[in-house]
Amino acid sequence: QVQLVESGGGLVQAGGSLRLSCAASGRTFSSSAMGWFRQAPGKERAFVASISENGGSTYYADSVKARFTISRDNAKNTVYLQMNSLEPDDTAVYYCAARSIGSRGVYTTTRWYDSWGQGTQVTVSS
């Protein structure tokens, strides 16, 4: 497993941008598929984006496609989520997740991930 720490959340106006970072510790980061999920109050945790071990494959939820970009820097053990054109419906706690065992590609459901960060709050005002 890897240990994950998110940062970069905050309050932003609609139409604005934020970049979330997720720093990972442990030796398996470069062989781990990574994902971002979010959870709004009263709702289940939902998939946002995923990136494969080498960054060659990415996948996005329809709701964020063309607005969000997931990327990773294996030399820095960090995965990023660039969020542009933010909308009030993007307000949620954002979680970073890692699949450190048997990763091949991208994963879109929570059950495939074995490590989670503590989350970072993103609030978009209208």
Side-chain angles (χ1 to χ4, degrees):
Q1 292 188 345
V2 296
Q3 289 75 48
L4 305 170
V5 178
E6 303 98 333
S7 61
L11 173 64
V12 64
Q13 289 188 333
S17 298
L18 283 174
R19 188 175 83 153
L20 305 183
S21 299
C22 174
S25 61
R27 298 181 179 181
T28 61
F29 178 79
S30 61
S31 60
S32 300
M34 300 297 296
W36 286 97
F37 290 75
R38 65 187 182 186
Q39 189 165 18
K43 295 186 177 181
E44 293 186 353
R45 194 168 297 190
F47 170 74
V48 175
S50 179
I51 188 167
S52 61
E53 311 82 78
N54 63 3
S57 298
T58 58
Y59 193 79
Y60 298 91
D62 287 343
S63 58
V64 307
K65 202 173 295 183
R67 299 189 298 124
F68 291 10
T69 302
I70 189 171
S71 62
R72 67 189 295 161
D73 186 337
N74 284 352
K76 295 183 178 180
N77 276 16
T78 303
V79 62
Y80 305 97
L81 185 68
Q82 178 67 44
M83 306 186 294
N84 298 329
S85 302
L86 283 162
E87 304 167 354
D89 283 349
D90 295 319
T91 295
V93 177
Y94 283 70
Y95 296 90
C96 174
R99 176 181 169 86
S100 56
I101 300 174
S103 294
R104 291 181 184 269
V106 296
Y107 300 87
T108 62
T109 57
T110 58
R111 68 186 182 97
W112 290 113
Y113 292 88
D114 48 62
S115 300
W116 292 85
Q118 82 290 349
T120 185
Q121 176 71 47
V122 172
T123 302
V124 184
S125 63
S126 57

